[in-house]
Amino acid sequence: LELAVAYYRAELMQKARQEAKLVLDDAATPKDVKDSVRLFLKEIETQELVIKSRKRHYLEGLAKVGIGHDSNVNAGPDSDTIEINGAELSLTPGSTKASDVFGQASLNLTHTYVVPSEMSSNGKPVTVLWRSAAEGFRRFYEDEHDFNLDILSVSTGPEFLAEDWRTGINLQFDYLRLGGEKLGLYTSLNPTFTFVQEDTEYTISGQWLNREFESASNAGKEGNRFALSFDVVHEFNDMLTAQGGVTGYKLNAEDERRSSTEWEIFASAFVAAWKDGTVYGRASYSETDYDGTEPVFNVARRDSDARVVLG
């Protein structure tokens, strides 16, 4: 009976009913106890109706608009001539950097459904959610229309929330257009698991991403990307929270020189500097090593990227 009451308090009504009926069906149970159990079973039915009447659908939306100036829209060099292995080469017209103003807009809609469930972990209830999202993004330039970008993303998947852990997985599709023409479709599966220990959270995440491109010029980029990341968040006090992590990527593409291995490390901090105000900083470093050699240069490409953000 005590176990039935514990399940009741944890809102695990089916298990509470099962334990209560075991007491009720036991011939050795005294009559006055059975009467109490019958009242308890009626209370379970009442509480089930209360749980079912709770709001289960939540819809949220966010819209953004902005304008800006890009000093190098096409990521081009300053000069129309470059030197390679001692030889001076001329770039095709329009290859040097171009600047332009742009406008951009995005709309995000998220739907969350609270799934009726009696799942438990260590005797405590586990909340089950099914979260779906759709987002549209557009950036358009005044003159450099070949670099107009449109992205439509949709995702869906379950989440499980317990007192000391949470986990989930979602399936996502990203449709991309560049310069008014279809660029490609990204399909990804994204699992994540977080373990909570007092003021510290440990998260491990994975990703499988498939890239399909429309044009023949991008066919060599098609393939799969696999990622695995680990990060830690620690709240030192009400004012200071820090986070750090590392991520590894492996990209397989049809063209060997498009295949790569990448790793990234980052650290960040958030300070509640004043009421309703936060100061934050983030530093990150990544390296990407490509498998095949680049034409003309005859060496494998290697990129490094260092960033510092304050705000």
Side-chain angles (χ1 to χ4, degrees):
L1 186 57
E2 290 178 358
L3 185 57
V5 173
Y7 280 133
Y8 172 84
R9 290 173 177 169
E11 294 190 351
L12 302 175
M13 298 305 165
Q14 184 176 348
K15 292 184 177 181
R17 181 183 291 105
Q18 291 173 351
E19 298 297 333
K21 284 187 175 180
L22 287 176
V23 179
L24 189 64
D25 296 339
D26 191 336
T29 302
K31 181 180 181 300
D32 57 337
V33 175
K34 287 189 175 184
D35 291 340
S36 298
V37 171
R38 291 188 182 95
L39 291 174
F40 179 62
L41 287 171
K42 290 182 178 179
E43 176 61 26
I44 290 177
E45 292 179 3
T46 301
Q47 190 62 23
E48 281 180 323
L49 294 175
V50 172
I51 294 173
K52 289 179 180 179
S53 67
R54 289 176 181 170
K55 183 179 179 182
R56 296 199 174 275
H57 295 272
Y58 298 87
L59 184 65
E60 298 175 303
L62 177 65
K64 293 183 179 181
V65 294
I67 58 173
H69 179 270
D70 192 333
S71 63
N72 195 343
V73 178
N74 56 339
D78 294 330
S79 173
D80 59 2
T81 60
I82 58 173
E83 186 177 302
I84 300 176
N85 298 328
E88 191 174 86
L89 302 178
S90 297
L91 301 178
T92 56
S95 295
T96 54
K97 69 176 184 179
S99 62
D100 200 1
V101 296
F102 65 85
Q104 67 182 36
S106 65
L107 176 64
N108 175 274
L109 294 174
T110 302
H111 176 261
T112 302
Y113 174 63
V114 183
V115 181
S117 170
E118 292 195 353
M119 289 185 61
S120 64
S121 174
N122 296 325
K124 297 180 180 179
V126 175
T127 301
V128 183
L129 308 176
W130 194 281
R131 202 183 303 274
S132 302
E135 180 174 8
F137 172 87
R138 175 169 173 78
R139 172 177 283 198
F140 48 95
Y141 290 92
E142 183 178 26
D143 298 316
E144 302 294 328
H145 302 302
D146 288 344
F147 295 93
N148 290 349
L149 178 64
D150 300 291
I151 303 174
L152 178 62
S153 301
V154 293
S155 64
T156 188
E159 296 180 18
F160 303 86
L161 310 177
E163 184 179 31
D164 55 357
W165 59 267
R166 60 182 181 271
T167 187
I169 185 170
N170 73 63
L171 176 65
Q172 181 164 328
F173 300 93
D174 300 286
Y175 172 77
L176 299 90
R177 288 171 57 88
L178 183 65
E181 297 180 357
K182 179 182 176 182
L183 178 63
L185 176 68
Y186 286 14
T187 304
S188 62
L189 202 59
N190 308 279
T192 182
F193 177 83
T194 298
F195 174 67
V196 182
Q197 188 176 36
E198 295 182 350
D199 297 327
T200 307
E201 293 187 356
Y202 306 89
T203 299
I204 183 168
S205 303
Q207 184 189 66
W208 164 78
L209 172 70
N210 176 261
R211 310 192 306 172
E212 294 183 6
F213 293 96
E214 181 72 9
S215 64
S217 61
N218 287 314
K221 300 177 183 179
E222 291 188 339
N224 298 304
R225 187 181 80 166
F226 303 90
L228 184 65
S229 66
F230 176 77
D231 68 76
V232 179
V233 179
H234 181 73
E235 183 178 344
F236 291 93
N237 49 52
D238 292 341
M239 292 186 62
L240 176 62
T241 301
Q243 182 178 12
V246 61
T247 304
Y249 303 91
K250 179 60 180 177
L251 174 61
N252 299 318
E254 293 184 7
D255 191 340
E256 186 182 22
R257 70 186 183 93
R258 307 289 190 180
S259 299
S260 64
T261 302
E262 178 183 354
W263 64 270
E264 178 184 18
I265 188 170
F266 79 93
S268 59
F270 305 85
V271 179
W274 61 88
K275 187 179 187 304
D276 299 327
T278 301
V279 175
Y280 64 91
R282 175 186 169 99
S284 65
Y285 179 79
S286 66
E287 281 195 2
T288 306
D289 293 316
Y290 291 84
D291 297 343
T293 59
E294 290 290 326
V296 181
F297 297 93
N298 200 33
V299 293
R301 178 178 166 185
R302 183 178 185 181
D303 296 344
S304 62
D305 183 86
R307 296 173 185 243
V308 176
V309 178
L310 300 173

